[in-house]
């Protein structure tokens, strides 16, 4: 009798442990999706996928995290980070080839996808990524991804970070991108993206960084951009942007960095730019004309002010001496004329800040 009871208890215990194990493991469908995703990638350098074994993809699978309650895969974090033990042990940086399999879209509870700095991952961004309703972070920086951005990317209403910088992405910025009203960080630098910046980009009210440099973007700077009241960093440099600079940009409350260098911008420098809260202003290598605004004041605080390689004329404005601070100043390669003001900030600047103008004189150039 006692033996029978023990056997029954043991059977129940084994059944309970089996059920508990299956409940705590990731669903077989998520495991299958991860293995299909892995099959499209080739990591012969580090062997990070060697950890992707066993029934439970929530336990010790490198770069995979699961929701504690549902056990569904929530995060894929495959970032090249030299300080991590797997990189230190191998004494090498990461290199991976292959492509991002559409199987990743079967992981319908994904919150973040980071597959960055592997240098060799190519192919296109799977269009089905636009249908992952919980996705908050999409970070694919530093690969060889080509093709266009998914046209329906605007469906990702929870997305806060979109980083596809340093790839080979072409085509235009999708119209739907301006539907990403939760987006805080947009980085599409150093790709082959062409066409205009969406005229209604001002809809991205939560955006704090917009980094679009090193592409083939053309057309004007949309005036609606000044409605993004949280925007602190705007980089449109190294494109083919034309037209004038909207005066309203200088009235943006928290904008501190504005990089518009190496474009085809014309017109004059808005007065608002030199008396704003912008501390790093680069307008170099454009076709900007007219005088430098004589509107510097106590609010003018520049760690760097670069107006070189334009068609600026007239004198250096006297009000520039009333700026709170100017660390780096470059007015070279223009058509400026007259005496360089004395005192701060000019007493610490070198001749290279003023060379190749029409008739500037005074320290640090030759005497007038």
């Amino acid at each position: 009798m006692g033996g029978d009871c023990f056997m029954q208890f043991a059977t129940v215990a084994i059944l309970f442990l089996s059920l508990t194990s299956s409940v705590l493991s990731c669903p077989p469908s998520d495991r299958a999706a991860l293995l299909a995703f892995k099959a499209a990638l080739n990591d012969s350098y580090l062997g990070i996928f060697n950890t992707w074994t066993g029934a439970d993809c929530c336990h010790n699978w490198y770069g995979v995290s699961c929701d504690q309650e549902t056990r569904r895969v929530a995060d894929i974090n495959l970032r090249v980070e030299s300080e991590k033990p797997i990189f230190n042990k191998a004494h090498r940086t990461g290199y991976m080839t292959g492509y991002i399999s559409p199987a990743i879209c079967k992981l319908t509870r994904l919150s973040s996808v980071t597959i960055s700095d592997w240098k060799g991952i190519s192919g296109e961004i799977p269009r089905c990524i636009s249908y992952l309703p919980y996705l908050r972070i999409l970070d694919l920086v530093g690969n060889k991804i080509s093709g266009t951005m998914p046209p329906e990317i605007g469906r990702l209403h929870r997305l806060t970070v979109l980083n596809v910088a340093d790839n080979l992405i072409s085509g235009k910025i999708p119209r739907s991108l301006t539907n990403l009203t939760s987006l805080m960080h947009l980085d599409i630098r150093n790709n082959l993206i062409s066409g205009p910046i969406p005229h209604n980009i001002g809809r991205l009210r939560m955006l704090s960084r917009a980094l679009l440099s090193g592409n083939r973007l053309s057309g004007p700077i949309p005036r609606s951009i000044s409605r993004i009241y949280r925007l602190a960093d705007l980089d449109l440099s190294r494109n083919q942007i034309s037209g004038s600079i909207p005066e309203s940009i200088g009235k943006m409350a928290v904008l501190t960095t504005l990089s518009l260098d190496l474009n085809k911008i014309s017109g004059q420098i808005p007065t608002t730019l030199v008396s704003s809260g912008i501390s790093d202003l680069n307008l170099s290598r454009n076709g900007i004309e007219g005088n430098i605004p004589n509107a510097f004041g106590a609010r003018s605080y520049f760690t760097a002010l670069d107006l070189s390689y334009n068609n600026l004329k007239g004198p250096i404005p006297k009000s520039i001496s009333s700026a709170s601070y100017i660390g780096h100043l470059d007015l070279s390669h223009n058509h400026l004329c007259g005496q360089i003001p004395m005192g701060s900030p000019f007493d610490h600047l070198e001749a290279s800040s003023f060379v190749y103008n029409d008739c500037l004189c005074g320290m640090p150039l030759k005497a007038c």
Side-chain angles (χ1 to χ4, degrees):
M1 187 76 174
D4 288 345
C5 284
F6 176 77
M7 286 299 292
Q8 285 176 359
F9 174 78
T11 304
V12 169
I14 290 167
L15 222 95
F16 175 76
L17 286 172
S18 174
L19 283 169
T20 304
S21 174
S22 65
V23 168
L24 293 177
S25 298
C26 68
S29 57
D30 278 15
R31 182 180 181 276
L34 283 172
L35 292 177
F37 165 78
K38 166 192 167 184
L41 296 169
N42 177 26
D43 166 37
S44 55
Y45 274 63
L46 296 168
I48 63 169
F49 292 128
N50 292 344
T51 62
W52 287 28
T53 58
D56 186 8
C57 59
C58 296
H59 182 66
N60 289 338
W61 282 39
Y62 181 88
V64 177
S65 303
C66 297
D67 182 273
Q68 292 298 312
E69 292 181 8
T70 65
R71 306 305 290 171
R72 296 292 308 278
V73 174
D75 305 293
I76 296 177
N77 184 10
L78 301 178
R79 182 193 298 277
V80 175
E81 295 175 298
S82 56
E83 70 275 8
K84 285 200 170 183
I86 195 165
F87 294 95
N88 284 329
K89 191 176 179 182
H91 300 293
R92 60 174 72 184
T93 58
Y95 183 79
M96 194 185 295
T97 57
Y99 64 95
I100 300 171
S101 169
I104 198 172
C105 303
K106 294 179 180 177
L107 301 167
T108 54
R109 298 292 299 194
L110 273 176
S111 174
S112 70
V113 174
T114 300
I115 307 166
S116 61
D117 296 317
W118 292 102
K119 305 177 186 72
I121 294 177
S122 56
E124 299 188 8
I125 301 171
R127 290 194 170 195
C128 57
I129 269 185
S130 302
Y131 294 87
L132 292 173
Y134 299 97
L135 198 61
R136 296 179 183 275
I137 296 172
L138 180 59
D139 184 351
L140 306 176
V141 62
N143 291 293
K144 288 183 179 176
I145 295 169
S146 58
T148 61
M149 293 173 67
E152 294 186 296
I153 198 164
R155 295 176 61 93
L156 298 172
H157 298 301
R158 287 183 169 89
L159 201 68
T160 59
V161 175
L162 176 58
N163 188 352
V164 294
D166 301 324
N167 279 288
L168 300 170
I169 295 169
S170 57
K172 296 182 179 181
I173 297 174
R175 288 183 181 181
S176 72
L177 185 132
T178 58
N179 293 331
L180 299 174
T181 51
S182 298
L183 198 65
M184 298 178 183
H185 180 99
L186 173 64
D187 192 348
I188 61 171
R189 288 176 293 180
N190 304 324
N191 279 286
L192 305 170
I193 299 169
S194 59
I197 300 168
H199 69 92
N200 58 344
I201 194 171
R203 293 182 64 199
L204 304 178
R205 297 296 178 89
M206 301 297 289
L207 203 61
S208 62
R209 301 190 80 199
L211 310 176
L212 286 71
S213 63
N215 281 288
R216 298 172 180 177
L217 297 171
S218 57
I221 301 169
R223 295 185 182 278
S224 72
I225 214 163
S226 58
R227 295 186 201 135
I228 309 175
Y229 64 92
R230 294 171 183 260
L231 194 62
D233 188 352
L234 176 60
D235 187 355
L236 305 179
S237 63
R238 296 180 291 120
N239 279 291
Q240 297 169 25
I241 304 290
S242 58
S244 58
I245 303 168
E247 187 177 346
S248 54
I249 285 184
K251 299 176 182 178
M252 296 176 69
V254 297
L255 188 66
T256 56
T257 301
L258 178 61
S259 303
L260 302 177
D261 45 302
L262 276 163
N263 278 291
K264 297 178 179 179
I265 295 169
S266 56
Q268 300 189 3
I269 299 173
T271 302
T272 54
L273 285 190
V274 301
S275 58
S276 67
I278 297 171
S279 59
D280 189 341
L281 177 61
N282 193 340
L283 307 180
S284 66
R285 297 178 188 272
N286 280 288
I288 299 171
E289 302 170 330
N291 292 6
I292 300 171
N294 190 22
F296 291 83
R299 194 163 180 241
S300 308
Y301 185 102
F302 292 99
T303 54
L305 174 59
D306 192 345
L307 307 179
S308 62
Y309 290 91
N310 278 291
N311 296 315
L312 297 168
K313 61 181 183 179
I316 297 173
K318 290 184 179 179
S319 66
I320 202 168
S321 298
S322 63
S324 293
Y325 176 77
I326 298 181
H328 170 77
L329 175 67
D330 193 347
L331 303 177
S332 66
H333 297 269
N334 278 289
H335 300 288
L336 300 172
C337 202
Q339 184 168 2
I340 297 170
M342 292 184 289
S344 178
F346 301 96
D347 48 10
H348 72 273
L349 297 173
E350 298 180 0
S352 58
S353 296
F354 306 100
V355 295
Y356 297 104
N357 275 286
D358 287 1
C359 48
L360 281 179
C361 58
M363 290 295 292
L365 299 180
K366 64 181 181 180
C368 294

